[in-house]
Amino acid sequence: MPRLLIIDDDPGVAHIIGLIAEGQGFQVDITDEHTAFFKRLAEHQPSHIAIDLMMPELDGVEILRMLGDMKCRAEIIITSGMGKRVLDAALRAGRERGLKVRGILPKPFLPANLRALLQANGALDEASGRFRRPMPEIDRPMLLAAIAGKQLRMVFQPKVTPQMRVCGFEALMRWHHPEYGELPPAHFITVAERLGVIEELTLYALRASLDWLSRQRCDDSVSMSVNLSVKDIESVGLADAIAETCREVNLSPLRVTLELTETAAMTNPADALDVLARLRMKGFSLSIDDFGTGYSSMSQLARMPFSEIKIDRAFVGSALDSKESRTIVRAIVELAHNLELKAVAEGVENEATCSWLRDLGCDVIQGYYISRPLEADAASAWLRSPVLPTLPGAGLA
Ligand code: C2E
Ligand code: CA
Ligand code: CA
C-alpha cells in the first residue's frame, strides 16, 4: 500500500489532503512539525510526501534541501497558499537537488488535482488497489488525436433518491489510449485545462451525454449532470453552446445539470456569476461540486445561482469512521437546505453510509453502493430495469 507523509501546520488542510489520499488507497501520516516529520520519514519510509512551504519553524524550502541531502526517493508534492510563482520556484529548486518532485498544489486546491498528482506515477488499479504501469506525459497532439480518433467516451453513474427512485446520471469521461490503455480523467482533464484543449473535451462530453439521455425512454425527471472546468466558465459563448447542443439532440435544459467545483466558481466570482446566471436563465440546473474542500466565502456562495450542493466524496467516504467528517457532512446538508438547495452525496460505498445520509435528509445519493459508472449500453439496460439495493425502512423516511 502506498504511504503518504504530510507536513502542514494547518490541521484542516492536512486533514482534507489526508482524507483524499486515503480515498486513493494511501496510508496517511500527518505532522505539523519538522522533528516529528524526519522521525516518521526514517521509521515509515513513505512512498509519497506532501510538504507545505510555509511552516513556522523550519520552512518547506529548508526541508526540501535536507531531503535532497538525504537523497530521499519519495514522490514529493509541494503545497502552499503563496501563489504559483513561489511554488514553481520551489519545484525547480527541489528537482535541481535531485528530488522526485511530482508537482505543486496551490491552495485552495481542487481535489481532482490532488488525486491526479497522487496517481501521477502510475494509475491506481480500482480492482486490485495496486499501481499499474507509469502514466505517459500527455501533450496537445495526443489530446487532439483522442478527440478526433474516437478514443474518448462517456460513462454514466446513476443517482437516486434515498427512497431508491432513479433521478439521473453523472457523465464521466473515459479515454482509452491505443498504447497506454485507460487513462484516468483526474489526470488528463487537468492537463487539458493547462494545454487549452478543455473546451473541446467539454463540448464532446455535453454532446455525447445529452445525446445518450435523449435516446432513452424514461421519465422526464431523469436528468444528466455534466462536469464543467474552471476554464469553461471563462468562456462567454458557453451558455449558448450548451443550449445549442440541447436543441440539436432535442432535450430540455430542465433535464441538464452542470457541475462546477467550488474553487472554480470562486476563482473569479464576478465573471462566474455572469455565466452562471445566463445558464440558469436558460433553464439549466447548477451544482457546486466537491463542496467542503475549498475556501469559499459563505456570503458569496449564497449569492451564486446554484441549485444543488455536492458533498465531496472525501467526507462521505470517511463518514462512518470519522466524527469530524460526519459533522462536516451534517453541516453541509443543513447549509444546502437553509439556502433552499438540494444536498447530493457522492462516494456512497455502503449501506450504513446510505441509511445515515437518508436519515440526515440528504436528497440525492451517488456512489459504488448504488452503481459504478456504467458504459452507455449498460447504463441503458440499467435504466430499463434498475438493480437497486433495498435499505432497511426505505420509503418511510
Ligand atoms: P468528480 O466530478 O468528483 O466525479 C466523481 C468521481 O468519483 C468519479 O471519478 C467517479 O467514478 C468517482 N466515484 C463515484 N462513486 C464513487 C464511490 O463510491 N467511491 C469512490 N471512491 N469514487 C467514486 P472519475 O470518473 O475518475 O473522475 C474523476 C474526476 O475527473 C471527476 O471528479 C471530475 O473532476 C473529472 N472529470 C471526469 N469526467 C469529466 C468531464 O467530462 N469533464 C470535466 N471537466 N471533468 C471530468
Ligand atoms: Ca462531478
Ligand atoms: Ca465531486
Side-chain angles (χ1 to χ4, degrees), residues 348 350-361 365 369 391-392:
V348 180
N350 50 54
E351 178 184 320
T353 310
C354 191
S355 358
W356 179 71
L357 287 162
R358 176 197 61 198
D359 297 344
L360 268 190
I365 307 285
Y369 179 59
L391 280 187

Side-chain angles (χ1 to χ4, degrees), residues 170 227 259 289 310:
E170 176 174 5
N227 291 286
E259 296 194 359
D289 205 354
K310 224 168 159 177

Side-chain angles (χ1 to χ4, degrees), residues 111 115 170 172 227 259 261 288-291 310-313 346-347 366:
R115 290 179 179 121
E170 176 174 5
L172 297 157
N227 291 286
E259 296 194 359
T261 62
I288 185 153
D289 205 354
D290 300 346
F291 192 80
K310 224 168 159 177
I311 310 164
D312 192 79
R313 61 185 195 267
E346 68 179 353
Q366 177 184 350

